[in-house]
Amino acid sequence: MQTHAFAAFAAGSKLGPHTIERRAIGAHDVGMDILYCGVCHSDIHQVNNDWGGSTFPIVPGHEVLGRVTEIGSHVTKYKIGDIIGVGCFVDSCRTCNPCKEGEENFCEGAVTWTYNTVVPGQSLPTYGGYSKYMVVDEQYALRVDPSMDLSRVAPLLCAGITTYSPLRHWNIGKGSKLAVLGLGGLGHMAVKFGVAFGAEVTVLSSSENKRADALALGAHKFVNYKNADEASTCNNSFDLIIDSVSAPHDLNFFMLMLKRDSTMVLLGLPSVPTEFSHRSVISKRRNLSGSSIGGTKETQEMLDFCAANSIYCDVEVIPLSEINTAYERMNRNDIKYRFVIDLNAE
Ligand code: NAP
Ligand code: ZN
Ligand code: ZN
């Protein structure tokens, strides 16, 4: 089935209208009309081919939310009319231990990413949610409470789970001192989850104009780390730092803010590797780690947690035709705090 989409046709090019083909509904597939799709900084990295391996034309979008319009003959989880979400991947090997444990994000075989993956034996890559219609295996779709504010739910499918997962993994809760480095799409969700889990949350930001927002989001403290005096008050003070910065930055400067035995979790994926001093880890037996989105099991848990606790993303809704302006604004750090495409808006 042909569907309308927006694609980039070469690395770094602007996005424009494109027609893509979606596969016919298989026995375990659901077809969905896409209602909303969030705009993640990873979309920009892949359009720019920052990480290598992008195939063009590329149709980004992995914060996809829609309504089921068709179901295959063996589908048991969903019925027509249900609201579902699709995150960063749409298939995996299904046989390795991570897959069996619902942590398909750590699949040891082949993950089929929602876009930009050429599946062996198929000529075309997968295409993402900057489009009107999608077909997905029911096992890789997530259930969304239809009474939720849906445009504000879409970014939970990446920004939400990517921040929820490490906070759960490192047991962040009452008594924890959490720092969120970078207040963007991921960062603002890390603040909301950290506060919801009972932690004391500090935002470490390069943008003075986000001070009031950070506190309104529930953070207990805002530190403009460009101000050396302010930054120095943070040394040896955090149990966990969630690093969501999209651009290259000096990791050592922030490692020194961790307490003994505490952990820096890298989420941001800048295009160039970061210089790193061994001393910043060795001196206080600190840990350097990372985290990659989350599996279907935990993503469902996160969506249910957000429904139960009214946790939503702060979004600016745009029509698909404004995607290039959205990218320009994200590149100059002018967004509070996630663009979401309304696929039914002109
Ligand atoms: P975003 O909304 O654009 O936010 C990035 C934030 O980084 C900005 O709000 C800004 O925070 C800071 N920043 C940007 N440019 C900077 C610069 N030149 N110097 C210092 N700070 C800068 O991006 P996002 O969608 O949250 O994504 C963040 C990163 O995470 C991206 O690299 C993305 O690819 C990656 N990501 C990783 C995963 C994963 O599974 N690990 C999942 C999704 C995304 P301040 O203004 O507060 O300084
Ligand atoms: Zn993403
Ligand atoms: Zn696997």
Side-chain angles (χ1 to χ4, degrees):
M1 174 172 169
Q2 292 203 322
T3 187
H4 175 64
F6 255 54
F9 296 89
S13 78
K14 285 201 182 317
L15 282 77
H18 187 45
T19 300
I20 55 170
E21 187 72 33
R22 294 296 191 190
R23 67 171 182 255
I25 301 277
H28 299 280
D29 286 340
V30 296
M32 68 195 265
D33 278 347
I34 300 175
L35 301 173
Y36 298 104
C37 183
V39 181
C40 179
H41 211 108
S42 300
D43 299 344
I44 299 183
H45 286 308
Q46 289 179 85
V47 163
N48 291 340
N49 200 16
D50 281 349
W51 304 332
S54 291
T55 30
F56 297 91
I58 187 171
V59 176
H62 58 208
E63 294 181 337
V64 194
L65 188 134
R67 182 176 288 113
V68 175
T69 54
E70 283 168 271
I71 54 169
S73 54
H74 287 61
V75 167
T76 55
K77 268 176 82 179
Y78 301 109
K79 60 181 189 319
I80 289 172
D82 283 352
I83 301 294
I84 59 171
V86 175
C88 293
F89 54 89
V90 287
D91 208 344
S92 59
C93 87
R94 305 177 186 223
T95 55
C96 71
N97 283 335
C99 278
K100 284 189 206 150
E101 290 160 13
E103 290 208 303
E104 306 89 342
N105 49 318
F106 298 126
C107 174
E108 292 159 5
V111 178
T112 303
W113 302 105
T114 303
Y115 64 89
N116 199 23
T117 297
V118 181
V119 177
Q122 290 181 18
S123 54
L124 294 174
T126 49
Y127 295 121
Y130 296 7
S131 62
K132 300 273 259 184
Y133 178 77
M134 183 179 263
V135 178
V136 65
D137 186 302
E138 65 167 340
Q139 266 198 54
Y140 292 81
L142 290 311
R143 181 172 296 285
V144 174
D145 179 339
S147 70
M148 291 180 86
D149 186 349
L150 298 181
S151 66
R152 301 180 67 202
V153 171
L156 295 175
L157 276 313
C158 177
I161 183 59
T162 302
T163 49
Y164 181 93
S165 182
L167 297 188
R168 286 300 197 208
H169 181 78
W170 275 279
N171 295 315
I172 291 304
K174 208 166 165 36
S176 312
K177 289 187 82 176
L178 168 70
V180 176
L181 173 54
L183 192 63
L186 266 56
H188 93 291
M189 290 314 301
V191 172
K192 291 194 186 200
F193 287 131
V195 170
F197 298 166
E200 185 186 314
V201 181
T202 299
V203 169
L204 303 169
S205 174
S206 64
S207 304
E208 182 59 37
N209 65 1
K210 295 180 182 173
R211 187 178 290 272
D213 286 353
L215 301 177
L217 286 164
H220 303 90
K221 208 170 147 195
F222 177 92
V223 171
N224 176 350
Y225 63 78
K226 297 277 181 196
N227 177 330
D229 287 344
E230 226 180 312
S232 68
T233 64
C234 297
N235 286 347
N236 301 307
S237 58
F238 302 120
D239 296 304
L240 194 80
I241 300 179
I242 293 285
D243 178 352
S244 73
V245 174
S246 54
H249 53 289
D250 178 7
L251 216 46
N252 304 306
F253 179 76
F254 300 103
M255 288 299 291
L256 299 178
M257 298 181 178
L258 287 170
K259 291 181 190 168
R260 172 170 52 99
D261 286 327
S262 296
T263 303
M264 163 82 77
V265 183
L266 303 179
L267 298 181
L269 262 169
S271 51
V272 290
T274 306
E275 290 253 347
F276 179 68
S277 152
H278 294 206
R279 189 173 299 278
S280 66
V281 174
I282 290 170
S283 64
K284 294 279 186 302
R285 204 164 53 194
R286 298 179 176 107
N287 307 299
L288 178 61
S289 192
S291 191
S292 173
I293 47 173
T296 49
K297 195 169 151 215
E298 198 173 36
T299 305
Q300 190 61 63
E301 175 191 307
M302 179 273 313
L303 286 167
D304 297 345
F305 180 84
C306 290
N309 294 281
S310 297
I311 293 178
Y312 290 104
C313 306
D314 289 11
V315 306
E316 186 172 335
V317 179
I318 56 163
L320 195 43
S321 56
E322 279 179 25
I323 189 67
N324 292 308
T325 311
Y327 276 25
E328 281 161 29
R329 284 186 48 197
M330 281 171 79
N331 282 330
R332 52 170 202 268
N333 202 359
D334 170 25
I335 162 66
K336 294 180 172 181
Y337 280 90
R338 197 59 141 191
F339 285 110
V340 170
I341 301 162
D342 177 349
L343 275 306
N344 289 309
E346 289 305 318

